[in-house]
Amino acid sequence: MTIFVTATGTGVGKTYTTLKIMEIFCDLGIKAAPLKPIETGVADTPQDATALLQKYLFLYGESLTLDEVCPYRFALAAAPFVAKGSQNIDLIHINNAIKKLLTKADVVIIDGAGGLFTPIEKDFFMIDLAMRADFTVLISHVGLGCINDALMSTLALKNRQIAHALIFNRRENDEFDSVSKPFFTQNLQEVLELKDLKTVLERLQGLFF
């Protein structure tokens, strides 16, 4: 099984959520391996990929290589299509990385970059990676503009018929309950937050394991 983790934008909490998913799956007796296909803004050590590596080692006492977890790393902090410059991002190489990790784990958690329409190549976007996964977890911020951002991203996933869950990542002292949550409560079947992540994964456990 593969799960793609994306967000309504940059800095919303994709890697944090990926780490949480790994922890929950471990508690459920499901082995989860992380993949950060592309990390940009890498001056020396890729911070996100390193955090994922350390979490995997902590949970399972096993080591993966940096190349296994993060095949592509670029110095420029920009969308992959921009950051890669003249280099080529080989999607077959990413697919092979997923397949290799699936030989070592029950599920691969793919930590995306940016939002759904962050470009990887001129005509290939993060949402195209999501289409290749079994399930997508969409993380939304809860600040100003979250209604627009969450609805646009969920609409894009629905239009591509991508199975997904929308999860809101609350910040300390936010005003989600009084400002935006009432709208979502009236317009969504359920309003899920990071604290509900275990419930989402338990549902997947019943479907895939």
Side-chain angles (χ1 to χ4, degrees):
M1 180 190 182
T2 53
I3 295 177
F4 187 77
V5 180
T6 188
T8 53
T10 300
V12 175
K14 290 184 295 296
T15 301
Y16 178 80
T17 301
T18 301
L19 294 168
K20 289 294 182 184
I21 292 174
M22 292 174 65
E23 292 174 355
I24 294 170
F25 269 139
C26 185
D27 289 341
L28 293 174
I30 297 170
K31 191 173 183 181
L35 177 69
K36 181 78 176 180
I38 308 162
E39 186 165 345
T40 65
V42 179
D44 183 17
T45 302
Q47 294 184 355
D48 292 348
T50 299
L52 296 172
L53 273 171
Q54 292 174 344
K55 177 64 70 175
Y56 184 82
L57 177 62
F58 174 79
L59 292 175
Y60 303 109
E62 301 174 8
S63 180
L64 295 171
T65 68
L66 193 57
D67 286 338
E68 284 179 307
V69 172
C70 189
Y72 289 101
R73 305 182 290 274
F74 303 105
L76 181 64
F81 177 72
V82 178
K84 73 183 183 66
S86 60
Q87 297 182 59
N88 179 54
I89 295 176
D90 187 350
L91 300 175
I92 294 177
H93 185 51
I94 293 176
N95 287 336
N96 287 339
I98 294 171
K99 290 177 182 178
K100 183 175 180 180
L101 289 174
L102 282 173
T103 66
K104 301 183 178 185
D106 303 306
V107 56
V108 174
I109 315 300
I110 305 165
D111 183 1
L116 287 169
F117 287 95
T118 297
I120 300 172
E121 290 288 355
K122 183 179 68 174
D123 55 355
F124 198 89
F125 302 83
M126 284 293 159
I127 194 170
D128 295 303
L129 284 183
M131 288 187 67
R132 300 180 178 204
D134 295 305
F135 192 80
T136 290
V137 174
L138 170 65
I139 309 300
S140 175
H141 68 97
V142 299
L144 184 64
C146 70
I147 292 176
N148 175 73
D149 295 345
L151 293 184
M152 282 200 306
S153 293
T154 53
L155 179 61
L157 291 169
K158 289 177 182 177
N159 286 343
R160 298 283 188 103
Q161 298 182 322
I162 297 172
H164 66 278
L166 171 63
I167 307 288
F168 292 96
N169 183 15
R170 302 185 62 144
R171 307 288 178 161
E172 188 176 355
N173 299 321
D174 65 60
E175 297 180 337
F176 185 53
D177 285 332
S178 60
V179 178
S180 302
K181 190 173 182 178
F183 173 86
F184 289 120
T185 300
Q186 293 179 38
N187 289 275
L188 300 178
Q189 288 186 332
E190 59 182 349
V191 179
L192 299 169
E193 301 179 28
L194 274 180
K195 62 183 177 60
D196 304 308
L197 193 54
K198 184 177 181 180
T199 299
V200 173
L201 299 182
E202 286 175 335
R203 292 173 185 171
L204 294 179
Q205 182 184 25
L207 291 172
F208 290 95
F209 301 100

